[in-house]
Amino acid sequence: MVNPILLIGVPLAVAFLLPLVDMLGRRTARAVHLLTLAFELFVAGEWLVQFLHGAAAVNIITGGWAPPIGINLRLGPLEAALVCLAALTGIGSALYLAHHEEVGSLRGLVIQLLLVTGAIGLIMTRDVFNTFVFLEISGIGTYSIVIFGKERSALEAGFKYIALGGAASTFFLLGVAFLYKITGTLNLDDMIHKLPMAVVAGTGTVLLLLMVGIMSELKLFPLNGPAIDLYDGVEPGVMALIVGTTVNALFFVFWKISALYTGPAWAAMFASVGMTTFLVCNVLAIRQTRVRRMLGYSSSAQIGLLVFLVPFVKSGEVALSAIALLLVNHTFAKAGLLWLAGTHGGEKIKEWKGAFSDSLALRIALATFVLAMTGLPPFPGFWGKWQALVGLAQHGHGWWIGAVLVGSLFEFVYYFGWLKEALTPAETVPRGAVGSPLSEVFGSLLYAGLAIALGAKVLMQVWGGFKTPAIFLGAAGFVLLFIRALPERFKAALTLVAVAWVAWGVFAGARACPLWDIRGFFLVMVLFGAFVISVAGLGIPAERGSFWGLFLILVGSIIGILYSSSLLGFFAGWELMTWSSYLLVSQGRHGPKAGYLYMLFAAAAGLLVLGGMMVAESAGVTTLAALVSLSGGVALAAWGLLAVGFAVKVASWGAHIWAPGAYAESPDLFTPFLSGVISKIPIFGLAAVVARIAAPSVATAISSISVAHILGWVGGLTAFGMTLLAVFQEDMKKLLAYSSVGQVGYVVLAMALLTPLGWTAALYYAVNHFLFKGLLFLAIAGVIYRTGVRTFADTGGLIKRMPLSFIAVLIGIIALAGVPPLSGFAGKWLLYEALMDKGWLFLTAFMMLASVMAFLYCFRLIHSIFLGQLKDKDRNVREAPWPLLLAELLMVIPILALSVRPQLLIEPLQHLVTGVFGVPGVRFASAATMTTHFGYFNAAAMMALVVVLFLVLLFILLTVGPKPTKVKQLDIVYAAEVPPSPEELQYAWAFYRPYERAFAPLLKARVTAFWHGVVDVVEGVAEAGRRFYTGNAQTYVLYSVLFILVLAAFGLAR
Amino acid sequence: MPLGIKIAWSFLGVLVAIAYGLVIAGIIRKVMARIQGRIGPPVWQQFIDLGKVIFQRTATRHGWMFYLAPIFRAGGGIGLYLLIPVVIGVPALSNFSFNGDLLLVMYFIFFGSLGMALGAADSGHPHSPIGISRGLSQMTAYELPFALAMVALAAQVHSFSIHDIIMAQQGGILHWNLFANPLAAIAAFIAFLGMNMYAPFNIVGAPQEIPVGPPTEYNSIFLSLMMSGRAILAVAKIVLYMDLFLGGAHSILAAFVKTIIIYFWSVFVGAVFPRFRTEQAVRFFLGWPTVAGIAGVLLVLIR
Amino acid sequence: MMAGNELYVATGLIVILIGFATVLVKRNLLKIVIGFSLIDSGTNLLIVALGFYPGRTAPIVNNPDMLANRASLLVNTAKVVDPVPQALVLTAIVIGVGVTALMLAYVVRLYATGKTLDVRQFGRMKW
């Protein structure tokens, strides 16, 4: 093994020798520079492998003096890992900076090495004063590299940084000196040993001085003003280097030195300062318009989170791996984002439209980093955050968890706000990355790849290997993302094969999955839905190359949810589903904006679910099955948080505003899946997660009321409210969007009944909605594909051109409306019987009203598109492509089968609900007649009656009376006038205006106004709050002084 | 009873019901005329009209949906009638009510309307969608008091079966739901006015506005099916109300008397009121009738 | 604190405070840099004072009396002041010089861009 002292010696020596090497040419100097970093990586890596195999940490004694007199260094697993990260980041930045002249110069090379050396020194040293020296070396490195900047902003930032750094190092040095006076040693380990024995007045003050010095270097609130300026003003490649080296090293210094700080007061101080930083910086970041400044706030926040966790790790409450994963995640993502920001060059967020539209790899890298930064799976930060929260939960730190979740939400706000811009196609030629050489973006790609690989590795530990369906589909999707040359229809065929393959494996029993339990039930729906979408994809080509790859990842993630038995596995799949569906939604024409709103609500839903799971974890529950054991207040909190989370995800009334846009603007090919399948997954959540917890009751003024009843009303309100809004839509996809949300409201309501009949109704309704809404969205996709329009005013009379699509929509709306004899009626019937059986009478009548209101939009949909007058522009429109019609047929067949025999589904459902409740909900009086406590229904006889009547009357129509003559389109009885153009005859705009007038008081956009109000308040707070950073160097120094005084006032200066 | 004989009886029943529907429509025209000081057409005028349209020499049609819609309309009316037991204790007149309960009836009402709406809209005449828009608006509005009343009845009897609801009303006139739950009855009977679309709720085929409304383009045999369908639908509805609120009927005569009474409720109201605007009608139903319905449900809950 | 060095410690603290006052109050960049120099000097003085014991001499062996044990050449620690703070100060001085130089370099560059030395003119990056 190489002597670890060389980790410091070699780069230091090379830094001094580099000017000589440079005489051989700049290329040689660069090569030597890179070789040096490679050497660091190799040595540290080799040691790291040793440590991971159980080797003990090594102490290196310098100058022949044993500690405590001499300075010693230490290399252990943490140190080795951090050195590896520093070297990797150094290589990435060196390659990147070679393309950016002013800092890629000889001086730049030297200073880059100086920064790396300083960081490695900080990481390895065990001597307090030596820490000070390396701190200053790093500082000087930073100051000098910044001064190369030609721009005034960089200079200003540098001066502020040096000013605050001067104050900070004074605090630090004073702290060191007094500590030496108190303990008589400068060796950290010795000092840790001796400090508790020294009872000297003022020790607290000394420790406080030292800590403020470190916190200032760590850029914690309120000492982070200059650091944020630095992010904004300095060449981003340099900042990436600083993130990967100095920032990590400083955090490690904090980690080491925090051993001196014992007692609850200090732990509380660390946690408070860290959490304050995390919250404040995340909130302030949402008002940033400049990319790198925003990244600066984010960095502060992330370091704040790490600092917050330190006392909990020290006390053994949180696993060390949580911090490690979060730190690695932050390094990968933040350095990667900074390099990408430099390569792109757009300083303002608004300039990022269409970013990297010519480079698939960079787009994937950008998305990867944003997802990683926001703590989404499978990236390391997700697992780190989970571990941290579990640790906090298990030791009763509920409020801290709440703070972490709130802060995380703001991260979504600004990161996805940025990604929204990047995903929005540019009106003009997009900036950046046009032919950027591989070496410039090498670091980004490397870190993206590492983040994906590391994340995938953990994910496979949770979910299983490549043979599990979820991982198989996810991996297949990931591969498909990179295949650019194939036509989209061929990719659809590949997707079809992959889905069919998995389905075959599942249903042939090769991978055992018990069918007709709740997850088997949803599994069938998901795989069938994915299959149908792939078939449709053979007809309508996807507009973006990444559609099918993301689609497979999405399907895989849903299957991962269904297969998971642990809370962690479930939640990982949940969040994977969230972001993959978000990216798919964003592929639509106005998708990025709608997708952003979708993501915010989905993120909030995810955090609520996470919160609920943490409540469960606090009671020691880690698997879904164990949720049964919850009781009392814990059960109420878990039930409430989970149910609200799932309710937000199904866009319940109040949180519904994301849904119409997301449904309407997502790619036409994706909407059927979004509406049909994804909206059902929260229902699975209710069934498989929430329902395992016994529904508690809450006391109200009148009587105690079951939370399930509240959820029922939420579902009912959603069903009613969304139906009402759907009536007035002028856009066909928006109409169906509101309808979808409303229909899922019925399912939520039925789930909330928590009776066998209620669940039968819910699950039957869920399948039925999947079928008819999928069918409707597919048919509408065909109409949009052929006509190119989406508003009702632009269509009409298409029955003449697209009769098969008309029939598809007709079947869809009859099933939706619940009119016998199609399958929808059985759903309504089950729902009402279940509601009556439970005794929720008002909800029954309320739902009857909502159901009838659905007729209004059903008729609107079919009339405005297919009936009335065919427009002149549509005279040559063709029928939808045959694969799409085939996909529709695949949905129609089950609808018709269920219409004749709803038992096909209801009978197996009885096994399912019997498994849950012990008794079936529906009984079968005969083979065809279903009965409940309240009523009976014979679908087959009903269908027979209708068919017979139809045939008899058709016979009468064909035989009686004169043979009808077909007249032309405009041959209508028109008050003795000649009818004008079809456009003027079509009654299609503001179709239900009188109805709108009648309901005017209900239609005020109160919910939207409420959310606008929330946004205004948060933005107002962020806007006012960020003025804290006045930009004046003196203010920042003043803050550092005041910070000491405030902390002292809290009694830390003993 | 063998299925064949049952079908034969039902066929006969349908013919009688259509005739009965046409007769009461004729009676209404007569009554209205007298109220307005006219002599009016004879009560059998509807038969004359029906014969006229059947034997028209020409017929025109638009698209195929236009062609099929009258089948849906007539089928919807006949089917609805067949789902409701007319006279209790007489299997021949209990029709096919074993197919489903009150919920099926409530939803099958829409079958014919939906079919007609689709066909009428296929004609391309602008009055059709306007009329349908109005009709649907009004329908959703009266559905709320109606649904509340139905929920009240079902909760009272603890069954959605129409047969059970009738049986619960036996044993005296005060057992009728009309008196057993007067609040629900008020809600249902006001909703009935909307269902029958006489004034003040005749906004669908509003004369002077959209002359005939949805079926503007229909003629000849198509129109005859529509008229028959409408006639039997009206009969089916009053039979339903009789079963739900007036204790059903034990004989054909009782059925005749009770249905006439129910029907004339809407006729007399229609004779004295002018027409609502659509939004007024909607607001009306969501007002006091709904309150009555809610009170009706509360009445059941309190008992 | 041990008797005898209060004056030096107090002086060090006062110089540090004067330095901070200068940094916080003066608007001229050069004066701010001078303020930082004062802070540095005060800190150094303070550290040296911490290791000072009245009546002892510098930790340099320039006559045999200072050795506790001739055979092993060990210093009689009771006769010299603590050498560690002095070593620290030596390093701190070097670093201080470096940082001051860099600060001055910044001032020069800032003056070149803004033609002013007023610190308030260099706060464009904010919020």
Side-chain angles (χ1 to χ4, degrees):
Chain A
M1 300 300 296
V2 182
N3 187 345
I5 189 79
L6 293 178
L7 285 173
I8 296 176
V10 169
L12 202 59
V14 173
F16 283 114
L17 291 175
L18 217 48
L20 294 176
V21 178
D22 193 51
M23 290 174 177
L24 300 171
R26 184 59 48 83
R27 295 173 70 91
T28 320
R30 287 197 199 289
V32 168
H33 179 226
L34 281 175
L35 275 175
T36 312
L37 293 170
F39 168 81
E40 302 286 299
L41 180 62
F42 172 75
V43 172
E46 202 183 5
W47 277 106
L48 182 60
V49 172
Q50 293 294 318
F51 294 135
L52 292 179
H53 283 88
V58 287
N59 259 313
I60 306 111
I61 293 159
T62 59
W65 291 92
I69 293 169
I71 294 170
N72 69 323
L73 308 171
R74 177 175 296 166
L75 191 69
L78 296 177
E79 286 89 347
L82 285 170
V83 173
C84 283
L85 268 184
L88 268 180
T89 317
I91 292 171
S93 266
L95 290 171
Y96 166 91
L97 287 171
H99 298 272
H100 296 254
E101 253 327 297
E102 63 271 27
V103 271
S105 64
L106 175 64
R107 290 181 303 181
L109 286 180
V110 173
I111 298 171
Q112 285 179 40
L113 271 183
L114 209 58
L115 280 171
V116 174
T117 315
I120 295 175
L122 283 174
I123 293 165
M124 288 171 62
T125 185
R126 300 297 297 178
D127 184 280
V128 181
F129 187 73
N130 195 231
T131 303
F132 171 75
V133 174
F134 279 116
L135 214 57
E136 291 300 310
I137 290 178
S138 297
I140 288 173
T142 312
Y143 309 150
S144 5
I145 207 160
V146 172
I147 207 167
F148 290 154
K150 294 236 173 356
E151 289 175 27
R152 180 168 156 177
S153 55
L155 288 173
E156 282 185 14
F159 184 77
K160 288 178 217 171
Y161 194 69
I162 204 170
L164 187 62
S169 60
T170 303
F171 299 144
F172 191 89
L173 185 57
L174 284 174
V176 170
F178 281 112
L179 273 178
Y180 170 74
K181 189 73 195 168
I182 292 166
T183 61
T185 181
L186 286 171
N187 182 279
L188 181 60
D189 302 299
D190 208 21
M191 199 182 272
I192 293 169
H193 179 64
K194 285 180 178 164
L195 187 64
M197 290 180 263
V199 188
V200 180
T203 308
T205 316
V206 171
L207 286 171
L208 183 58
L209 275 178
L210 186 73
M211 187 40 68
V212 171
I214 296 174
M215 286 187 158
S216 170
E217 299 282 356
L218 274 176
K219 302 144 186 93
L220 295 180
F221 177 83
L223 309 174
N224 50 359
I228 289 165
D229 287 353
L230 211 58
Y231 275 89
D232 197 0
V234 175
E235 164 59 49
V238 172
M239 278 325 289
L241 179 64
I242 292 174
V243 165
T245 56
T246 318
V247 172
N248 287 348
L250 284 168
F251 175 70
F252 195 66
V253 167
F254 170 76
W255 168 260
K256 286 190 287 189
I257 291 209
S258 63
L260 290 172
Y261 295 78
T262 49
W266 289 110
M269 189 275 246
F270 293 164
S272 311
V273 171
M275 183 46 68
T276 310
T277 307
F278 183 62
L279 286 174
V280 168
C281 292
N282 275 334
V283 170
L284 301 195
I286 63 175
R287 285 297 292 165
Q288 298 306 318
T289 52
R290 295 169 61 83
V291 169
R292 276 147 48 199
R293 195 167 179 82
M294 188 186 83
L295 292 178
Y297 277 102
S298 159
S299 284
S300 265
Q302 287 290 320
I303 298 295
L305 183 62
L306 292 176
V307 167
F308 159 78
L309 287 174
V310 164
F312 298 103
V313 175
K314 293 272 175 188
S315 67
E317 290 169 302
V318 170
L320 177 63
S321 52
I323 282 191
L325 284 165
L326 283 169
L327 183 133
V328 167
N329 186 65
H330 179 245
T331 308
F332 286 170
K334 191 54 62 65
L337 284 174
L338 283 164
W339 285 322
L340 286 182
T343 302
H344 182 273
E347 300 212 325
K348 295 227 165 89
I349 292 172
K350 289 211 181 314
E351 293 166 10
W352 276 70
K353 283 200 172 60
F356 305 128
S357 47
D358 58 342
S359 166
L360 176 73
L362 290 187
R363 271 209 320 280
I364 291 178
L366 177 65
T368 301
F369 294 141
V370 168
L371 299 174
M373 277 312 305
T374 45
L376 289 170
F379 305 107
F382 172 79
W383 312 106
K385 215 174 236 177
W386 176 273
Q387 281 191 340
L389 293 180
V390 166
L392 292 174
Q394 285 171 348
H395 295 86
H397 300 299
W399 294 109
W400 285 125
I401 293 178
V404 172
L405 297 184
V406 169
S408 302
L409 182 61
F410 292 110
E411 268 177 346
F412 283 96
V413 173
Y414 60 86
Y415 270 112
F416 281 90
W418 180 28
L419 194 57
K420 173 191 77 174
E421 291 295 328
L423 294 173
T424 308
E427 294 94 17
T428 53
V429 181
R431 305 176 54 133
V434 180
S436 32
L438 179 66
S439 65
E440 185 186 345
V441 297
F442 171 80
S444 320
L445 298 182
L446 176 72
Y447 273 2
L450 283 175
I452 292 168
L454 185 57
K457 190 168 152 38
V458 187
L459 186 66
M460 284 167 69
Q461 283 174 6
V462 176
W463 277 2
F466 281 110
K467 284 193 168 173
T468 45
I471 296 286
F472 169 75
L473 286 176
F478 186 68
V479 172
L480 204 54
L481 276 183
F482 289 94
I483 303 177
R484 313 225 63 191
L486 294 177
E488 291 305 317
R489 286 190 173 92
F490 192 79
K491 285 194 204 167
L494 288 179
T495 309
L496 188 72
V497 170
V499 171
W501 170 256
V502 167
W504 171 258
V506 169
F507 298 119
R511 295 159 200 140
C513 167
L515 280 183
W516 300 124
D517 69 347
I518 191 91
R519 69 182 55 181
F521 173 83
F522 279 92
L523 194 61
V524 174
M525 198 150 74
V526 170
L527 286 172
F528 184 67
F531 186 82
V532 169
I533 297 295
S534 319
V535 171
L538 300 173
I540 298 183
E543 285 175 29
R544 299 284 186 89
S546 50
F547 182 91
W548 292 108
L550 285 171
F551 183 73
L552 273 180
I553 293 175
L554 171 64
V555 176
S557 68
I558 297 176
I559 293 176
I561 298 174
L562 300 181
Y563 268 71
S564 291
S565 55
S566 67
L567 296 180
L568 174 60
F570 181 97
F571 189 65
W574 181 266
E575 294 289 61
L576 272 166
M577 175 185 80
T578 299
W579 68 251
S580 49
S581 56
Y582 155 76
L583 287 175
L584 280 167
V585 168
S586 294
Q587 291 192 347
R589 269 146 285 185
H590 302 286
K593 193 159 177 262
Y596 179 49
L597 198 57
Y598 169 64
M599 189 65 207
L600 291 190
F601 276 89
L607 294 174
L608 284 164
V609 170
L610 181 57
M613 288 186 167
M614 285 306 135
V615 173
E617 294 273 356
S618 73
V621 170
T622 57
T623 61
L624 296 175
L627 286 169
V628 186
S629 65
L630 296 183
S631 65
V634 174
L636 179 62
W639 204 99
L641 285 167
L642 288 166
V644 172
F646 293 132
V648 169
K649 193 69 203 281
V650 294
S652 290
W653 187 86
H656 61 268
I657 60 167
W658 62 264
Y663 284 70
E665 303 302 343
S666 62
D668 298 338
L669 209 46
F670 179 57
T671 322
F673 198 75
L674 186 62
S675 163
V677 177
I678 296 180
S679 67
K680 306 301 179 306
I681 304 306
I683 303 298
F684 173 73
L686 284 177
V689 183
V690 178
R692 285 185 202 264
I693 309 169
S697 293
V698 286
T700 64
I702 303 166
S703 63
S704 79
I705 181 168
S706 165
V707 285
H709 203 163
I710 300 173
L711 184 68
W713 272 102
V714 169
L717 262 180
T718 309
F720 172 79
M722 297 308 109
T723 303
L724 184 63
L725 289 174
V727 169
F728 308 114
Q729 298 308 311
E730 300 291 349
D731 176 309
M732 45 186 92
K733 281 186 82 177
K734 273 218 167 108
L735 183 149
L736 285 177
Y738 276 109
S739 158
S740 292
V741 180
Q743 296 286 321
V744 179
Y746 293 112
V747 183
V748 172
L749 166 59
M751 290 301 306
L753 286 167
L754 296 174
T755 61
L757 187 55
W759 275 38
T760 307
L763 296 175
Y764 180 88
Y765 212 110
V767 170
N768 211 24
H769 179 246
F770 156 70
L771 291 170
F772 67 66
K773 200 50 70 66
L775 173 64
L776 286 173
F777 270 120
L778 284 170
I780 296 305
V783 171
I784 297 172
Y785 183 63
R786 287 304 192 204
T787 63
V789 295
R790 245 173 57 181
T791 41
F792 289 128
D794 296 332
T795 52
L798 284 174
I799 185 176
K800 296 182 180 67
R801 306 301 312 164
M802 309 177 80
L804 295 175
S805 296
F806 169 78
I807 293 173
V809 172
L810 182 61
I811 291 174
I813 63 160
I814 294 179
L816 193 167
V819 172
L822 290 195
S823 60
F825 174 71
K828 300 279 181 200
W829 180 78
L830 286 167
L831 177 68
Y832 299 144
E833 306 270 344
L835 283 169
M836 290 299 286
D837 199 29
K838 180 90 176 180
W840 292 1
L841 305 186
F842 287 112
L843 267 168
T844 316
F846 194 40
M847 289 306 97
M848 286 177 173
L849 170 69
S851 300
V852 174
M853 282 174 123
F855 289 20
L856 271 71
Y857 68 69
C858 282
F859 182 73
R860 178 80 208 273
L861 181 73
I862 199 163
H863 167 261
S864 299
I865 298 173
F866 290 104
L867 301 175
Q869 297 280 340
L870 181 67
K871 308 263 164 87
D872 290 334
K873 69 176 175 60
D874 291 336
R875 301 239 177 254
N876 295 315
V877 164
R878 283 185 294 145
E879 179 59 272
W882 68 264
L884 190 63
L885 293 173
L886 180 64
E888 290 165 26
L889 184 64
L890 284 174
M891 299 296 241
V892 166
I893 289 170
I895 291 180
L896 293 180
L898 287 181
S899 301
V900 183
R901 281 191 74 82
Q903 292 92 325
L904 288 175
L905 181 58
I906 293 175
E907 224 168 343
L909 280 181
Q910 295 321 301
H911 296 296
L912 195 159
V913 297
T914 309
V916 178
F917 296 98
V919 283
V922 176
R923 293 176 197 280
F924 298 92
S926 67
T929 305
M930 300 181 292
T931 61
T932 69
H933 294 139
F934 257 83
Y936 55 93
F937 173 49
N938 182 339
M942 190 61 221
M943 184 59 105
L945 178 69
V946 171
V947 169
V948 167
L949 282 175
F950 182 85
L951 291 177
V952 169
L953 290 165
L954 182 64
F955 178 76
I956 293 173
L957 194 62
L958 287 171
T959 51
V960 180
K963 187 178 160 45
T965 319
K966 190 167 183 332
V967 293
K968 292 211 176 86
Q969 188 181 334
L970 289 177
D971 285 340
I972 55 173
V973 189
Y974 200 65
E977 278 187 69
V978 176
S981 63
E983 281 77 5
E984 288 174 54
L985 283 174
Q986 180 77 340
Y987 175 58
W989 186 258
F991 200 81
Y992 293 111
R993 181 51 58 77
Y995 204 63
E996 215 172 333
R997 282 197 286 257
F999 276 98
L1002 283 184
L1003 291 172
K1004 279 196 193 128
R1006 290 195 187 84
V1007 174
T1008 316
F1010 167 76
W1011 287 112
H1012 275 300
V1014 170
V1015 169
D1016 286 348
V1017 167
V1018 172
E1019 288 196 336
V1021 168
E1023 185 61 37
R1026 72 197 187 110
R1027 275 151 219 274
F1028 178 79
Y1029 297 106
T1030 59
N1032 188 318
Q1034 290 178 309
T1035 327
Y1036 295 150
V1037 177
L1038 180 65
Y1039 288 163
S1040 70
V1041 177
L1042 291 177
F1043 187 55
I1044 296 178
L1045 297 179
V1046 168
L1047 291 179
F1050 275 106
L1052 288 169
R1054 281 167 287 119
Chain B
M1 179 179 287
L3 192 65
I5 297 175
K6 186 159 188 75
I7 289 173
W9 273 107
S10 293
F11 182 70
L12 203 62
V14 166
L15 289 184
V16 170
I18 291 174
Y20 178 50
L22 292 172
V23 167
I24 54 175
I27 295 173
I28 284 155
R29 291 175 73 172
K30 193 84 185 166
V31 170
M32 288 289 191
R34 287 298 162 89
I35 289 172
Q36 290 162 1
R38 294 182 281 117
I39 293 176
V43 282
W44 55 84
Q45 181 65 39
Q46 290 291 96
F47 291 94
I48 299 172
D49 290 352
L50 188 63
K52 187 195 85 177
V53 291
I54 291 177
F55 298 110
Q56 268 177 341
R57 273 167 297 179
T58 60
T60 58
R61 70 176 184 88
H62 290 271
W64 55 268
M65 194 66 229
F66 178 90
Y67 187 91
L68 293 179
I71 298 178
F72 284 98
R73 178 60 163 175
I78 297 170
L80 183 67
Y81 171 78
L82 290 178
L83 291 177
I84 302 168
V86 181
V87 178
I88 32 177
V90 184
L93 288 175
S94 69
N95 288 335
F96 292 88
S97 58
F98 53 81
N99 274 5
D101 51 27
L102 179 60
L103 290 171
L104 181 65
V105 172
M106 283 172 71
Y107 267 84
F108 202 69
I109 294 179
F110 307 128
F111 183 81
S113 317
L114 181 71
M116 189 201 63
L118 291 172
D122 194 26
S123 72
H125 198 293
H127 285 168
S128 301
I130 294 173
I132 294 161
S133 154
R134 294 164 161 224
L136 288 172
S137 303
Q138 180 167 292
M139 184 178 86
T140 62
Y142 66 68
E143 180 74 12
L144 184 56
F146 181 66
L148 284 164
M150 295 305 108
V151 166
L153 294 195
Q156 202 166 295
V157 183
H158 210 80
S159 174
F160 267 123
S161 157
I162 298 175
H163 189 259
D164 291 349
I165 295 176
I166 296 170
M167 284 312 165
Q169 300 178 69
Q170 303 312 311
I173 209 164
L174 286 177
H175 288 93
W176 292 4
N177 282 329
L178 190 61
F179 305 105
N181 193 339
L183 292 165
I186 289 172
F189 274 86
I190 296 177
F192 184 67
L193 298 177
M195 262 181 229
N196 272 351
M197 295 198 221
Y198 287 112
F201 303 108
N202 55 344
I203 57 176
V204 175
Q208 293 91 39
E209 288 181 29
I210 43 169
V212 188
T216 300
E217 284 289 305
Y218 278 103
N219 55 62
S220 182
I221 181 70
F222 302 115
L223 192 55
S224 73
L225 281 178
M226 291 239 172
M227 285 175 69
S228 316
R230 196 173 168 170
I232 195 166
L233 187 65
V235 174
K237 281 180 199 161
I238 48 180
V239 170
L240 178 66
Y241 265 68
M242 174 187 77
D243 287 349
L244 295 179
F245 290 100
L246 269 58
H250 285 282
S251 67
I252 293 179
L253 182 69
F256 182 73
V257 172
K258 285 179 178 175
T259 50
I260 283 280
I261 291 170
I262 295 170
Y263 203 68
F264 270 75
W265 152 245
S266 68
V267 173
F268 288 138
V269 170
V272 288
F273 282 103
R275 182 160 70 234
F276 269 138
R277 288 167 60 93
T278 310
E279 62 266 30
Q280 288 168 332
V282 171
R283 284 200 208 112
F284 171 81
F285 283 118
L286 298 180
W288 289 112
T290 300
V291 173
I294 291 172
V297 175
L298 284 177
L299 201 60
V300 177
L301 284 177
I302 289 165
R303 274 184 202 155
Chain C
M1 292 300 160
M2 278 146 283
N5 60 359
E6 291 93 344
L7 179 64
Y8 308 108
V9 171
T11 311
L13 281 174
I14 289 169
V15 174
I16 291 174
L17 289 179
I18 293 174
F20 266 104
T22 314
V23 167
L24 292 176
V25 173
K26 294 292 175 186
R27 301 299 186 197
N28 188 303
L29 286 176
L30 284 171
K31 290 184 181 172
I32 290 175
V33 175
I34 291 170
F36 277 112
S37 280
L38 284 172
I39 295 174
D40 280 349
S41 307
T43 311
N44 292 338
L45 179 59
L46 183 70
I47 295 172
V48 172
L50 284 179
F52 174 70
Y53 299 83
R56 298 191 193 178
T57 180
I60 304 165
V61 182
N62 53 4
N63 82 52
D65 293 345
M66 295 174 68
L67 292 179
N69 182 341
R70 268 162 207 273
S72 66
L73 293 178
L74 278 176
V75 178
N76 181 351
T77 49
K79 287 192 174 175
V80 296
V81 297
D82 192 344
V84 174
Q86 306 203 351
L88 300 192
V89 166
L90 275 178
T91 317
I93 289 172
V94 173
I95 291 170
V97 168
V99 173
T100 310
L102 263 169
M103 275 195 185
L104 288 170
Y106 268 101
V107 174
V108 170
R109 295 285 310 266
L110 282 173
Y111 184 75
T113 62
K115 294 288 169 229
T116 174
L117 283 174
D118 189 337
V119 70
R120 285 168 295 186
Q121 301 301 314
F122 300 104
R124 285 184 311 169
M125 299 174 74
K126 57 187 174 185
W127 298 352

